[in-house]
Amino acid sequence: MSMYKSGLDMLRCALRSTSLWTCDSFRWTQMSLCYKRRSFAVSSQLGRKHTLKQVRYYSQSGPDALNVPIKQTAASTETSEPLDKAERTPFYSHLQNCFSPTDVLDTLKQFPASQHVISSIFTRIWESTKKMTDEQRSCELRLMYEHPVFEEVCERAATEAWRMKSDDLAYSLLAIVNLGVSQNTRVVQTLLRVIQERLNQFDIRALSVLAGCIREMEDCRNVQALKEALRLLLKDRIPEIQSVVVLQNMMRAVGKNSPIHLKKQLATKTLSLAEEFSPPNTQYMFSSLASMGLNFKPLLDVCSKNIAENVHEFPFGRLLSVLKSCHELRYRNYTLFSSVSEYMANTFDMWSNKQVILILVSFEDLLFRPVVLLDVFAERIIKSPDSLTLKDLLSVLKVFSLLNHDLKEKKTEFLASVTKVLESYLPKMSSTDLLKAIHYLALLEHVPQNLLDKLLQQETLDQILQKGNQSNKVQRWLHMLALCMRLDQPQLPHSLRSIPDFHFIVPAHKVPVNQEMLSAIRSIVGNDAVQDSVLEQSIYFIDCVITLPRPKEETSDLHAEDSGSPECAQRIAVLCAPPTSFCFGTTHPRASLVIKLRHLEKLGYKPVLVPVIELNSKTEEEKIEMLQKLIFPAQESSGTQEILNIPKAE
């Protein structure tokens, strides 16, 4: 017995003589903790069967480590509780008057801290730094780390963790992590181990705080084990959760690696509380679902409707966050996007160039073309183009070109303004940025002479090929630029109209031809008139070409050098277009499809776009009728017409 007591005395001495928050966690484990193992049923990956997986966690060896009998501890707690409340009252009063970490630590010299107030101490230290500037916060945290009392508080938190309540454990861990204390420190690792041991005792509020904390922590052995345990616990506790905020915290905590049935269970429970959503709840729902990687359409549709109806209540940052989450989730909602773009356009003077560009880039990622917003922004650019940085210019050109936005009578003035500013940045523009700018301008059928002259210099081309490592993207851009010079025939000096031949082999985007469409077309025009899988200019893939006699009254403007067909023949290029080839909600072509259509017309083809999704949804008879209308439109409806059917959210 004496040997047992002397061993514990040595243990306490070791704990007091080592720095509790700067030493390696495994020394602490070896001195004061014993290993235990428990089995958790963990779903290792989505779609696989549940397997029993050993998750190691750590816990202190109960009353032996504390050297206090359980009955005595309980009795002393009951008798001292009223006294503790009376004694803590002046302490809490002084604590609220502390406005920096050092103030809190100095206050502890006057009042001894028990395990009941440890979480309040760390929380007050954290709260006192929230309103500080970054520089002031950094200085105050440095003073906090150097303060001798801070080490004592950390030591007290670790030694008393086994006696702390669930709420105190959760709030202590949250505050310590937010103060920037390293996860490898013994105080953090000890709190994690105690929480693992006591997780079943946590109420919903404590679980919510814990979930908000561990989602920001880096993965380590104890954090990963705690996440797995939390996922298992949630299966039984989700029905009793009645708070939207708590559910969102749980979504963020379980992450993308959690089982799909757990994700859907959280989303379904949240949907049942949809009537209680506040504006912040609605916005954070998008990012919460994105953190799980779950596109739960019923819930997203409800949130989209709420935002669309009250878009003026959401600040810019939240609207931008919603759009980014939509892109991450691959979710599109025409009503939501339209309401945001109309709100931005109607309050346009409120927004800076940077804000407008961020919204437009997000819309472009979502394939959505905000027509009115693009028009009013173009007017601002025409009036004050010098306000744009080089990065802004590249983003503007990318959005306007990939969305194929037609500025109509203002196009010439817009391109002139943008080109003038681009040329001012030419001396400090990198070769890669130069190629990007010219590529985007070529999509708009505009190639400035000064920019092209700089690009065609051997030094610039060498830098591009070296940086791009002859990637497919760089090769495709250069090959497409050469086609623009030859087919678009811009008004440039003869020396700039030809791009050097780099002998690139540019693979075309080939996809299997839709056999049902091919059969329908052959039933309309006959087998001999149809040729499938045609490749033009080594880059433009055509699903099928229909060759028909041209009416005598029409004159041919085909380039003989580009075509082997007789001039009296009419060639119709039928192109199957996936949804990504169009701006969302329309049949307005975008990106590379724009230049493909333009060049096929220059080569003497009559391009016909066939929306794949619409075609596949029809019966065989309906397909034939649809193709007849597209290929042989009635005389009164000839020309390009845009279909503006608003689709359902994806």
Side-chain angles (χ1 to χ4, degrees), residues 376-520:
V376 294
F377 189 45
E379 291 179 5
R380 178 188 285 184
I381 292 174
I382 292 171
K383 291 179 182 178
S384 56
D386 296 331
S387 61
L388 298 175
T389 65
L390 176 59
K391 185 178 179 181
D392 293 340
L393 281 169
L394 293 174
S395 298
V396 167
L397 288 174
K398 178 182 179 182
V399 170
F400 277 80
S401 62
L402 294 185
L403 291 178
N404 185 28
H405 185 62
D406 185 11
L407 291 169
K408 299 176 182 177
E409 68 276 0
K410 295 182 181 179
K411 179 178 180 180
T412 302
E413 193 176 0
F414 172 78
L415 291 174
S417 301
V418 172
T419 300
K420 182 180 178 181
V421 182
L422 271 175
E423 290 176 348
S424 68
Y425 288 113
L426 195 55
K428 56 182 179 181
M429 194 184 303
S430 68
S431 57
T432 305
D433 287 342
L434 179 60
L435 179 59
K436 285 181 182 178
I438 294 179
H439 171 72
Y440 296 141
L441 287 169
L443 288 176
L444 295 169
E445 209 169 355
H446 176 70
V447 182
Q449 178 178 337
N450 292 339
L451 297 179
L452 185 62
D453 184 42
K454 174 71 173 177
L455 177 68
L456 294 182
Q457 293 178 7
Q458 190 60 46
E459 181 182 357
T460 307
L461 290 173
D462 290 342
Q463 290 176 357
I464 290 173
L465 295 175
Q466 182 178 3
K467 289 182 180 179
N469 197 23
Q470 296 190 1
S471 65
N472 288 339
K473 187 175 184 179
V474 170
Q475 293 179 18
R476 187 176 293 276
W477 282 7
L478 289 172
H479 184 74
M480 192 171 293
L481 183 59
L483 287 176
C484 290
M485 296 296 101
R486 181 160 59 88
L487 299 177
D488 294 338
Q489 297 182 349
Q491 295 180 355
L492 294 170
H494 184 73
S495 59
L496 297 178
R497 291 187 182 180
S498 60
I499 303 294
D501 187 2
F502 298 101
H503 304 289
F504 292 148
I505 300 176
V506 182
H509 294 298
K510 292 185 178 181
V511 292
V513 178
N514 190 313
Q515 294 300 320
E516 293 183 359
M517 181 198 72
L518 196 59
S519 299

Side-chain angles (χ1 to χ4, degrees), residues 196 198 258 418 422 438 466 488 500 595 641 646:
Q196 290 178 52
R198 303 258 297 277
S258 56
V418 172
L422 271 175
I438 294 179
Q466 182 178 3
D488 294 338
I595 201 168
Q641 293 185 353
I646 298 176

Side-chain angles (χ1 to χ4, degrees), residues 17-257:
S17 63
T18 55
S19 177
L20 192 65
W21 57 282
T22 57
C23 297
D24 185 80
S25 58
F26 293 105
R27 286 179 55 190
W28 169 256
T29 301
Q30 293 170 359
M31 288 190 299
S32 63
L33 302 177
C34 61
Y35 285 97
K36 288 187 179 181
R37 290 177 184 260
R38 281 189 180 176
S39 297
F40 294 106
V42 179
S43 180
S44 57
Q45 291 183 1
L46 298 180
R48 295 187 178 180
K49 294 183 178 179
H50 291 276
T51 56
L52 200 62
K53 181 179 179 181
Q54 290 289 337
V55 179
R56 175 177 293 182
Y57 75 102
Y58 305 90
S59 65
Q60 198 169 7
S61 54
D64 287 341
L66 295 173
N67 197 24
V68 179
I70 294 178
K71 293 182 180 179
Q72 181 182 347
T73 303
S76 61
T77 301
E78 292 175 0
T79 56
S80 64
E81 186 174 359
L83 183 62
D84 285 344
K85 289 182 178 179
E87 292 176 350
R88 282 188 290 164
T89 301
F91 172 77
Y92 281 113
S93 299
H94 282 77
L95 199 62
Q96 294 303 314
N97 294 325
C98 297
F99 300 102
S100 70
T102 50
D103 288 346
V104 177
L105 296 174
D106 289 340
T107 301
L108 294 179
K109 295 180 180 179
Q110 306 174 24
F111 298 92
S114 67
Q115 75 267 17
H116 301 289
V117 299
I118 289 176
S119 66
S120 300
I121 294 169
F122 285 115
T123 300
R124 186 57 192 163
I125 292 175
W126 172 41
E127 289 177 346
S128 67
T129 64
K130 285 183 178 181
K131 296 182 180 180
M132 296 180 180
T133 63
D134 292 340
E135 184 178 354
Q136 185 181 3
R137 186 184 300 109
S138 177
C139 179
E140 287 291 343
L141 291 178
R142 184 171 63 253
L143 293 174
M144 178 192 72
Y145 292 139
E146 296 172 354
H147 201 293
V149 178
F150 183 68
E151 185 174 351
E152 295 176 9
V153 176
C154 290
E155 179 178 353
R156 195 67 187 274
T159 55
E160 300 289 348
W162 311 98
R163 295 172 176 168
M164 291 167 64
K165 297 179 181 178
S166 301
D167 284 352
D168 292 337
L169 286 170
Y171 280 108
S172 295
L173 181 63
L174 177 66
I176 290 173
V177 170
N178 285 327
L179 285 170
V181 178
S182 172
Q183 284 186 204
N184 294 327
T185 56
R186 288 178 290 176
V187 62
V188 174
Q189 293 296 320
T190 301
L191 288 172
L192 288 171
R193 296 161 193 159
V194 176
I195 291 172
Q196 290 178 52
E197 173 76 11
R198 303 258 297 277
L199 193 60
N200 285 328
Q201 303 172 18
F202 276 47
D203 58 16
I204 296 300
R205 179 185 176 185
L207 286 175
S208 177
V209 175
L210 177 63
C213 177
I214 63 175
R215 74 165 184 260
E216 303 295 340
M217 299 180 71
E218 298 176 1
D219 272 345
C220 66
R221 186 167 52 181
N222 280 313
V223 171
Q224 192 61 38
L226 189 56
K227 285 183 178 179
E228 296 288 355
L230 181 62
R231 290 168 186 163
L232 292 173
L233 186 64
L234 280 178
K235 293 178 182 179
D236 299 325
R237 303 287 290 275
I238 288 177
E240 64 186 81
I241 302 176
Q242 298 299 324
S243 168
V244 178
V245 174
V246 173
L247 287 167
Q248 289 176 333
N249 279 339
M250 297 305 175
M251 290 179 182
R252 293 168 180 265
V254 299
K256 296 180 180 179
N257 296 327

Side-chain angles (χ1 to χ4, degrees), residues 563-596:
S563 171
S565 301
E567 291 188 1
C568 61
Q570 179 186 17
R571 296 183 301 167
I572 301 173
V574 181
L575 309 172
C576 274
T580 54
S581 296
F582 303 109
C583 293
F584 175 62
T586 71
T587 54
H588 184 80
R590 62 172 296 276
S592 58
L593 179 61
V594 177
I595 201 168
K596 180 178 181 178

